[in-house]
Amino acid sequence: AQKVTQAQTEISVVEKEDVTLDCVYETRDTTYYLFWYKQPPSGELVFLIRRNSFDEQNEISGRYSWNFQKSTSSFNFTITASQVVDSAVYFCALSEVAGTASKLTFGTGTRLQVTL
Amino acid sequence: DSGVTQTPKHLITATGQRVTLRCSPRSGDLSVYWYQQSLDQGLQFLIQYYNGEERAKGNILERFSAQQFPDLHSELNLSSLELGDSALYFCASSVTSASYNEQFFGPGTRLTVL
C-alpha cells in the first residue's frame, strides 16, 4: 500500500526566512505521480505542482522550489524568502497508476506559520 | 477559484439523519472525486467517478453512497449519520481519470453532526 509521511507537523518561521517542508513516500509502483497542495486558512485545497516518477529534475517557480529524489523517496518543498501569505497547511500527495482509476493518498500535512 | 463548486457550504444536522452533498466539476472535466477531511483521519479518498461510472473506491462507509449524473455533477449521500461523520467533505475534478491529472478541489462542505 502506498503511504506519504510528512514528519513536520508544524513549522514557524519569521518572514523572509527560507523553509523546507519534507515529504517521504512509499509505493511499490515504478510509475507514480507526486503532488503538493496548499490549504490556506480559508480551507480550499490549491494545487501547486505535479511530478512524475521518471522526472527527477528539480523545479523552481518563483519563490517555490521542489526537490525530488527517487533514491530517498522524497519530494521536498522549499519556500524562499517566506511571506505571511505563505501561512497555510501544505499537503504532499501520491497518485499511483491503477488502470483507469486514480486516487490521491495524502500525507498528514505540515502547518506553516510565517510571522512578521 | 478552481472552477469546482460545492453546495451547501455548511450543513448542520442530527445523528441518524441523511444528507446529500452536491458537486459540479470544472467545465470539461469528466472525473469527479470525493474526499473526507477530519481531524483524526486526515484527508481520505472516498470514491471516484468517471463519466458516470464508478472507477475507484477508498475508505467509504457502507452508509455513504455517491453517483455522477449525465450532466457530470455528482452527489454524495450520507445516511444514518454519526457524530464521527462530522468533517469537511471535498469534491475534486480532473480532465480524465488518469492518475497523472492534477485534481482541482472545490471549497468543501463542512458537515456538523450534533
Side-chain angles (χ1 to χ4, degrees):
Chain A
Q2 52 186 6
K3 185 180 176 183
V4 177
T5 301
Q6 294 180 258
Q8 304 151 308
T9 307
E10 190 159 347
I11 300 175
S12 289
V13 299
V14 176
E15 204 176 39
K16 295 191 177 61
E17 282 186 20
D18 298 348
V19 57
T20 295
L21 311 182
D22 298 333
C23 172
V24 173
Y25 62 91
E26 294 174 31
T27 179
R28 284 178 288 190
D29 285 354
T30 52
T31 301
Y32 50 89
Y33 299 87
L34 295 161
F35 301 80
W36 275 94
Y37 282 84
K38 173 183 179 178
Q39 187 174 35
S42 51
E44 74 275 20
L45 280 162
V46 179
F47 166 77
L48 294 178
I49 191 171
R50 174 193 62 210
R51 170 67 72 226
N52 74 55
S53 54
F54 295 115
D55 183 2
E56 288 197 65
Q57 264 193 323
N58 290 336
E59 176 141 351
I60 298 175
S61 174
R63 295 184 297 107
Y64 295 171
S65 63
W66 290 268
N67 178 256
F68 174 38
Q69 291 199 333
K70 211 166 175 178
S71 59
T72 56
S73 297
S74 64
F75 186 41
N76 298 335
F77 172 30
T78 297
I79 302 176
T80 303
S82 60
Q83 299 176 2
V84 172
V85 293
D86 296 326
S87 296
V89 181
Y90 291 86
F91 291 94
C92 181
L94 170 66
S95 177
E96 62 180 13
V97 177
T100 56
S102 65
K103 65 169 189 175
L104 289 174
T105 298
F106 284 90
T108 49
T110 297
R111 181 177 299 277
L112 174 65
Q113 185 74 33
V114 183
T115 55
L116 293 171
Chain B
D1 186 345
S2 67
V4 178
T5 60
Q6 289 187 249
T7 56
K9 197 170 174 59
H10 300 278
L11 199 47
I12 301 175
T13 188
T15 54
Q17 295 298 305
R18 173 190 169 93
V19 297
T20 297
L21 313 184
R22 183 187 167 103
C23 167
S24 292
R26 292 187 321 157
S27 176
D29 284 359
L30 298 178
S31 199
V32 168
Y33 311 77
W34 287 97
Y35 291 85
Q36 179 195 58
Q37 184 177 31
S38 62
L39 283 174
D40 53 344
Q41 299 287 335
L43 258 169
Q44 294 228 328
F45 168 75
L46 295 179
I47 198 163
Q48 177 200 5
Y49 280 84
Y50 175 72
N51 208 19
E53 292 185 4
E54 182 185 305
R55 279 294 169 90
K57 228 170 181 176
N59 299 322
I60 187 166
L61 299 172
E62 282 191 18
R63 300 183 285 107
F64 296 1
S65 64
Q67 55 183 326
Q68 186 180 27
F69 294 87
D71 67 352
L72 301 178
H73 91 272
S74 177
E75 292 180 358
L76 179 66
N77 300 296
L78 316 177
S79 61
S80 303
L81 285 167
E82 302 175 359
L83 295 177
D85 297 328
S86 295
L88 188 53
Y89 290 85
F90 284 107
C91 169
S93 73
S94 64
V95 174
T96 72
S97 64
S99 53
Y100 54 77
N101 287 147
E102 55 265 41
Q103 296 178 22
F104 293 92
F105 283 75
T109 292
R110 183 167 296 282
L111 173 66
T112 302
V113 182
L114 300 175

